[in-house]
């Protein structure tokens, strides 16, 4: 399939002797939103972190199988992890702006990647904040501390920070779980807009959210990918009884 952006094949992950992911094969398409659902501790966030090699930071982790990004195996020894994390950005559960100005938060990544000219940085900062649907709220206070923003604004700023390095894929680990309903709705609207330009993979506990924003859903249970498919099929016509039981609230 030409539109496959990320593909895992027979992926297994161990924390020491404990197997956290079992034999996961999953194709995720570009310019779409893939939602990962399932109960707490079932491997969703672990799987998400496999995609940009954030599990590398944990000593006891062992991974087998293949993870292809644009057809290249990201776990081959020579793969450039820094370039990978630039191309595959991550938005975390809790907003985590740096203790610096709104402007410097967004300019941070471009500066690390060698952009120094002020007019170029100004342009990137404005474009990224506009893309994150935050410009109208902060354009007159770019030099004030980012930590002074509300939780929902901080999360959109973190999205702007990811966008500033021109990623290809955006990973989101429960990006609205710490936010109020109005901020959540703004982030969901933003995700729908961003998928025109980016590939988005989101972990969510909120099944209504998965239903609203995703094109494809994968259901995880105890480290196993039980079922994947178009979101409407997973929610209204699942093939697996375990999926149906989870969606209908019989467990989880």
């Amino acid at each position: 399939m030409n539109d496959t952006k990320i593909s895992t094949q027979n992926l297994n992950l161990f924390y020491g002797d404990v197997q956290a992911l079992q034999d996961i094969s999953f194709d995720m398409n570009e310019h779409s939103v893939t939602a990962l659902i399932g109960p707490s501790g079932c491997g969703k966030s672990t799987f998400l972190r496999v995609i940009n090699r954030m599990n590398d930071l944990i000593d006891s982790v062992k991974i087998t199988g293949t993870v292809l990004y644009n057809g290249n195996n990201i776990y081959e020894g020579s793969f450039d992890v820094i370039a990978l994390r630039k191309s595959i950005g991550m938005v975390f559960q809790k907003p985590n702006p740096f203790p610096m100005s709104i402007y410097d938060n967004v300019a941070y990544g471009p500066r690390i990647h060698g952009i120094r000219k002020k007019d170029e940085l100004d342009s990137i900062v404005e474009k990224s904040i506009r893309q994150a649907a935050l410009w109208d709220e902060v354009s007159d206070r770019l030099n004030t501390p980012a930590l002074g923003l509300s939780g929902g604004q901080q999360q959109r700023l973190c999205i702007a920070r990811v966008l500033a390095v021109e990623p290809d894929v955006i990973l989101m680990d429960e990006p609205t779980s710490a936010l109020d309903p109005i901020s959540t709705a703004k982030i969901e609207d933003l995700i729908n807009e961003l998928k025109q330009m980016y590939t988005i993979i989101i972990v969510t506990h909120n099944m209504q959210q998965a239903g609203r924003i995703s094109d494809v859903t994968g259901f995880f249970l105890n480290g196993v990918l039980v079922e994947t498919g178009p979101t409407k099929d997973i929610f209204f016509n699942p093939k697996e009884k375990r999926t149906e039981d989870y969606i209908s609230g019989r467990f989880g």
Side-chain angles (χ1 to χ4, degrees):
M1 283 173 63
N2 293 333
D3 56 354
T4 300
K5 176 60 67 175
I6 292 169
S7 176
T8 69
Q9 297 163 7
N10 308 116
L11 174 71
N12 295 279
L13 182 142
F14 300 84
Y15 294 114
D17 296 331
V18 178
Q19 188 164 5
L21 295 174
Q22 297 179 44
D23 205 30
I24 291 176
S25 297
F26 193 7
D27 290 344
M28 289 150 278
N29 292 343
E30 66 180 352
H31 300 308
S32 67
V33 178
T34 301
L36 311 178
I37 64 169
S40 293
C42 67
K44 306 182 299 291
S45 293
T46 297
F47 178 77
L48 198 70
R49 287 160 187 263
V50 165
I51 296 169
N52 71 345
R53 291 189 49 174
M54 284 199 67
N55 294 309
D56 288 15
L57 307 171
I58 304 166
D59 286 341
S60 63
V61 163
K62 179 184 162 213
I63 292 171
T64 64
T66 308
V67 182
L68 300 177
Y69 165 54
N70 289 334
N72 299 306
N73 184 2
I74 67 169
Y75 282 89
E76 277 183 349
S78 59
F79 204 90
D80 185 340
V81 178
I82 292 170
L84 177 74
R85 293 194 188 129
K86 179 177 182 285
S87 296
I88 304 181
M90 185 127 181
V91 177
F92 295 91
Q93 184 171 358
K94 289 189 177 153
N96 60 343
F98 302 139
M100 52 180 73
S101 72
I102 293 168
Y103 181 100
D104 286 338
N105 263 271
V106 183
Y108 185 86
R111 282 177 175 143
I112 281 183
H113 292 288
I115 296 171
R116 294 279 180 268
K117 291 181 181 167
K118 187 174 187 312
D119 58 346
E120 201 174 344
L121 286 170
D122 287 351
S123 171
I124 291 169
V125 168
E126 178 173 346
K127 179 186 172 193
S128 304
I129 294 176
R130 281 189 186 278
Q131 275 190 295
L134 188 60
W135 182 254
D136 292 347
E137 295 163 56
V138 305
S139 59
D140 58 350
R141 50 180 175 142
L142 295 178
N143 294 314
T144 63
L147 296 171
L149 296 173
S150 72
Q153 289 172 326
Q154 287 187 16
Q155 192 65 301
R156 279 180 286 148
L157 180 67
C158 292
I159 293 170
R161 195 171 67 197
V162 167
L163 297 177
V165 297
E166 299 186 328
D168 186 27
V169 177
I170 303 171
L171 309 178
M172 296 185 165
D173 193 355
E174 294 194 57
T176 63
S177 64
L179 304 181
D180 62 86
I182 291 170
S183 297
T184 295
K186 284 184 177 176
I187 300 273
E188 289 183 7
D189 289 344
L190 176 56
I191 289 168
N192 277 322
E193 287 175 31
L194 291 175
K195 80 170 183 183
Q196 311 303 324
M197 295 165 281
Y198 305 95
T199 300
I200 297 172
I201 304 167
I202 179 170
V203 166
T204 179
H205 264 115
N206 183 330
M207 282 193 280
Q208 288 80 13
Q209 180 174 74
R212 285 191 297 266
I213 65 170
S214 69
D215 303 293
V216 172
T217 295
F219 169 53
F220 281 77
L221 184 65
N222 300 326
V224 174
L225 183 59
V226 174
E227 185 171 352
T228 68
T231 296
K232 284 189 176 69
D233 293 352
I234 295 290
F235 278 79
F236 298 110
N237 191 25
K239 295 186 176 75
E240 291 274 343
K241 185 169 188 309
R242 288 173 295 174
T243 310
E244 185 183 341
D245 287 349
Y246 182 71
I247 298 285
S248 62
R250 290 190 195 117
F251 72 91

